[in-house]
Amino acid sequence: MANGVHTQLARKHGATILENCRVLKIEKDIDDLHVFVHTNQGVFRCRRLIICAGAWTNSVIESLGFQLPLAVSQEQVTYVATPNLKDFTKENFPVWDFFDGDRIYYGHPIHGNTGVKVAIHDGTCIVSTDTRTYKSNPTKEKLCLDMLQKYIPKAVGPVLYTKTCLYTNTPDNTFIADTLEKKGYPQISLFVGSGHAFKFSCLFGKIFAQMAIDGTGEYVDHVKKYFNIDRPALSDENYKQDNKYDLKSCQDQGPIDDS
C-alpha cells in the first residue's frame, strides 16, 4: 500500500517511473559534472543521481570501482486471520517487537489487510538477488505462530499467507546515507537501509532531495556524519561485526516450503 502511495505521489509531481529497468553501468561525463546511467531501457544523463537499490546496491555501484560489505538475507512475514479483529486494529493494538532470549519477533496491527502481521527480525538466511527464492520457510512460520500462541493468543488464527522479502544489511546494522564525494563522485548520493529503513522512507526521501538540490537541509549534515560511507564498519577489513548475518545460510534453518 505504502509503495503504491509513494508511486502515485511521485507521478503526480512529475516523476517518471520506469519498471524493470536494469542498471548496466554508471560513468562520468567528460565535463566531470554529469553522470551517464546506462540501462536496458536507454542511457540517461543527469546532474544528480541517487542510488537506492537495496539488494542490488553492489551490482549498481560496481562500475564506480568499489564494493560495500553488505549481506543480503531472505526474510519472510506471515499474516494470520485472527477471529478477534477489533482487538487488533491500529486503534487498539500497537506496532511491537519482542525478544524472547533467542530471537527478535515483531508485528503490526491490522491495517490495509485482514490479518495480523508477525515475523522474525533475523538476517541469517544469506542469499543474492539471483539465488533468493519466493518460497516461505515453514520452520520460521511455525516459530512465529508458536510465539503468538504463547504470548498473544487472541491474535492466533488461520494463516492467510506468508511472503518473502530481502534485507540488505551493513556490518553495524546501520544505514548508509551519504554522497559518494569521497569516492570521486560528488554528483551521486547513496542510501542503504540495513533491513529497517522503510518506516523512515518519507523522511529519507526528503533528505536525499535536499542533498540533490543544494546539499543543505535540517538533517543533511546529521545523516552524513552518522551514516557516512567511510565509517569503520564499511572501510575497516578488521571491523568486528555487530550482527550474525554471516553465520548461517538458508539451508541451516529447516526445509523450504515447495508448495
Side-chain angles (χ1 to χ4, degrees):
M1 178 184 292
N3 284 334
V5 171
H6 287 157
T7 300
Q8 290 176 13
L9 288 172
R11 284 178 169 144
K12 178 181 177 181
H13 288 85
T16 299
I17 309 295
L18 300 179
E19 298 183 1
N20 301 312
C21 185
R22 185 181 183 90
V23 175
L24 305 174
K25 181 174 66 172
I26 302 170
E27 62 180 352
K28 277 186 183 180
D29 194 351
I30 193 171
D31 65 6
D32 216 31
L33 299 175
H34 296 75
V35 293
F36 289 109
V37 182
H38 298 257
T39 78
N40 63 344
Q41 297 186 31
V43 180
F44 302 90
R45 182 175 183 263
C46 47
R47 290 186 297 113
R48 294 288 185 271
L49 175 63
I50 300 171
I51 298 174
C52 185
W56 289 265
T57 295
N58 273 330
S59 296
V60 170
I61 66 174
E62 184 176 9
S63 58
L64 301 179
F66 72 98
Q67 296 279 268
L68 292 167
L70 305 176
V72 177
S73 62
Q74 182 167 312
E75 310 299 325
Q76 64 185 53
V77 297
T78 297
Y79 290 85
V80 295
T82 173
N84 304 293
L85 291 173
K86 186 176 179 181
D87 293 334
F88 293 95
T89 61
K90 59 188 174 77
E91 291 79 16
N92 296 317
F93 195 73
V95 174
W96 57 273
D97 64 48
F98 170 67
F99 179 57
D100 71 348
D102 294 314
R103 300 172 184 85
I104 299 174
Y105 297 86
Y106 71 95
H108 294 178
I110 297 168
H111 181 61
N113 55 58
T114 58
V116 176
K117 176 180 177 179
V118 60
I120 298 173
H121 184 74
D122 191 9
T124 57
C125 178
I126 303 302
V127 297
S128 71
T129 54
D130 294 322
T131 63
R132 67 82 50 94
T133 74
Y134 293 86
K135 298 174 182 178
S136 63
N137 186 319
T139 303
K140 279 186 162 184
E141 183 180 289
K142 185 177 185 303
L143 286 169
C144 288
L145 297 177
D146 289 348
M147 188 282 302
L148 286 182
Q149 185 65 60
K150 183 175 182 179
Y151 295 104
I152 320 176
K154 291 183 70 175
V156 176
V159 173
L160 292 171
Y161 57 91
T162 296
K163 63 180 183 179
T164 65
C165 62
L166 298 177
Y167 281 0
T168 308
N169 308 294
T170 60
D172 56 0
N173 287 329
T174 302
F175 308 137
I176 302 173
D178 201 357
T179 69
L180 299 187
E181 183 174 4
K182 302 179 185 80
K183 303 293 185 181
Y185 296 90
Q187 316 93 323
I188 302 176
S189 300
L190 175 70
F191 180 75
V192 176
S194 202
H196 63 286
F198 188 77
K199 64 186 74 67
F200 303 107
S201 57
C202 294
L203 174 60
F204 275 111
K206 178 180 179 179
I207 292 170
F208 275 86
Q210 293 171 339
M211 282 189 190
I213 292 170
D214 60 13
T216 63
E218 55 188 320
Y219 302 115
V220 169
D221 289 341
H222 178 86
V223 300
K224 290 172 68 176
K225 177 180 178 180
Y226 290 101
F227 307 137
N228 62 79
I229 199 168
D230 59 346
R231 65 182 187 264
L234 302 175
S235 60
D236 184 354
E237 294 182 357
N238 297 316
Y239 178 81
K240 184 177 180 180
Q241 294 197 348
D242 291 341
N243 57 39
K244 56 183 179 181
Y245 293 160
D246 61 338
L247 298 184
K248 289 186 178 181
S249 68
C250 296
Q251 287 72 29
D252 299 318
Q253 297 189 33
I256 300 296
D257 183 4
D258 290 323
S259 61

